[in-house]
Amino acid sequence: MSLDVSRIRSAFPALDHGVAYFDGPGGTQVPRRVAEAMAAAMCSGISNRGTVTAAELRAEQVVVEARQAVADLLGCDPRGVVFARSATQATYDISRALARRWTAGDEVVVTRLDHDSNIRPWIQAAESAGAAVRWADFDRGTGELTVDDVRARLSGRTKLVAVTGASNVLGTRPDIPAIAEAVHEAGALLYVDGVHLTPHAPVDVRALGADFYTCSPYKFFGPHHGLVVAEPELLATLRADKLLPSADTVPERFELGTLPYELLAGTTAAVEFLASLASSAPDRRGRVLESMRAVEEYEERLFTRMLDGLSRIDGVRLHGSPRHRTPTVFFSVAGVTGREVYEQLARLGVNAPASSFYALEASRRLGLGDIGAVRAGLAPYSSEDDVDRLVAGVAEIAGARSGPAPAAGTGPGRSRTDPAQ
């Protein structure tokens, strides 16, 4: 089935502002039904989870439904869904729990393709245990990270490999099943950062071979929080710092304090929205898979239009050319700083921010330092008109690159000044 983009766009109040949003990799816009679900949870009469009052039972239902929704999204066991403040926090929590089992001489592998949230927690955890860190590099020209790049860093002492499911700046999608096979042959665990992959492709955590998989609902039309999933039997082997009276069951032992029920209700609504994009399958998991396949096909076609348009502009440099990627492009304009491009596009009502987006190691390896470049990413609500506006805006900026630097933009749709992802 194909996407009805007009119907999808009508679900997003933010699109009424006339802004073309290419900042989805840092957080998508929110459909009306997600906001309504969050408001309903907050206004329904709710309290801490329990089994006596209607308010307690309502809170319990919100949590149970959210775990099942995530399971239907990712193809995992709902008993292994751990909610957290963010994907960064989830990774820190798991890294600290795993590091308790590491000793001096053990090794952890990280990649320069990853967002720093899937690098720094592992480096710091390794340091706390006296373990060594080994780096897997990606190809500077193509942006590719291969299974051989990872395999070359494995040894009999490798305890964990952390790798992205998709680069949040280049869009590169490494071959995770092949990497998982190599990692498991070495007797290690695989932690996959799926924050940027999940909004753009059907995900089956078990088929990927990921022992841990993290993502963030605000990247796929939901509220701002994160989660990590794993088999409950694996989670049961880990110990986390917790309060004495708090639950020691899995997954609750990893969820510190009262859960944000309104955010979980919003996450369930976001998964329901994804499942409704292009499918009439009888079960939600089936609807999610069919809809995300349609999303992937639509975004690939639209991305071709965007890449073709940008590549024809004199002075525009596209960084990386991975064969398998999300609809995300990282680019520079000769003679114009990324910040200036960002601001001038914002004046035109086109949101495409510039930064390293916390992918510091990737930006440095590309020769872009900590400043980075401009990033434009598509979402299911992106249209051909949006793409044409972006390309026209960049062409105008590139054509005037010899002129004076513009003043800071103040037009509609101005994005965050320090985007994190």
Side-chain angles (χ1 to χ4, degrees), residues 5-291:
V5 180
S6 295
R7 178 181 67 84
I8 292 171
R9 289 177 64 86
S10 69
F12 291 84
L15 300 186
D16 296 339
H17 302 162
V19 174
Y21 293 96
F22 292 92
D23 51 0
T28 56
Q29 301 307 307
V30 176
R32 188 175 291 103
R33 67 192 290 180
V34 170
E36 290 173 347
M38 294 170 65
M42 297 182 77
C43 298
S44 63
I46 203 163
S47 64
N48 287 334
R49 297 159 65 186
T51 59
V52 177
T53 70
E56 292 171 344
L57 292 168
R58 196 171 291 119
E60 179 66 22
Q61 181 180 9
V62 167
V63 176
V64 170
E65 289 178 352
R67 294 201 206 281
Q68 186 59 58
V70 171
D72 290 340
L73 175 67
L74 302 179
C76 65
D77 190 325
R79 298 172 302 153
V81 176
V82 178
F83 293 114
R85 168 67 184 83
S86 64
T88 300
Q89 183 211 314
T91 304
Y92 264 116
D93 290 345
I94 296 297
S95 70
R96 289 165 179 154
L98 285 170
R100 294 182 180 205
R101 310 194 303 196
W102 301 341
T103 60
D106 288 340
E107 297 175 353
V108 175
V109 177
V110 295
T111 90
R112 297 195 193 277
L113 187 64
D114 274 77
H115 186 284
D116 209 57
S117 67
N118 203 30
I119 296 176
R120 218 56 50 185
W122 302 111
I123 291 176
Q124 292 163 356
E127 289 174 347
S128 71
V133 175
R134 306 193 72 187
W135 290 87
D137 286 327
F138 65 91
D139 185 272
R140 286 188 180 92
T142 65
E144 297 279 6
L145 176 77
T146 70
V147 62
D148 289 336
D149 295 326
V150 175
R151 186 182 285 114
R153 300 293 177 262
L154 299 175
S155 77
R157 297 304 303 269
T158 305
K159 294 300 181 183
L160 179 129
V161 174
V163 66
T164 185
S167 165
N168 71 310
V169 289
L170 297 175
T172 306
R173 290 175 59 177
D175 187 346
I176 297 300
I179 291 173
E181 183 177 356
V183 169
H184 294 152
E185 285 177 356
L189 295 171
L190 180 65
Y191 192 100
V192 175
D193 176 357
V195 171
H196 188 61
L197 175 63
T198 307
H200 301 292
V203 174
D204 187 321
V205 171
R206 288 169 173 151
L208 287 174
D211 297 293
F212 299 92
Y213 184 95
T214 187
C215 62
S216 301
Y218 71 98
K219 304 301 177 76
F220 52 85
F221 313 135
H224 283 73
H225 72 114
L227 58 96
V228 62
V229 305
E231 291 296 338
E233 294 79 12
L234 174 57
L235 291 174
T237 67
L238 304 181
R239 307 304 307 178
D241 291 329
K242 56 176 286 296
L243 302 181
L244 183 61
S246 64
D248 194 40
T249 53
V250 170
E252 283 83 358
R253 72 170 63 160
F254 301 98
E255 295 170 338
L256 307 181
T258 302
L259 288 170
Y261 303 123
E262 69 280 6
L263 303 188
L264 302 193
T267 295
T268 299
V271 174
E272 287 282 4
F273 181 77
L274 283 174
S276 73
L277 292 181
S279 175
S280 57
D283 63 295
R284 185 167 59 192
R285 174 63 177 164
R287 293 195 300 275
V288 165
L289 291 174
E290 288 185 1
S291 291

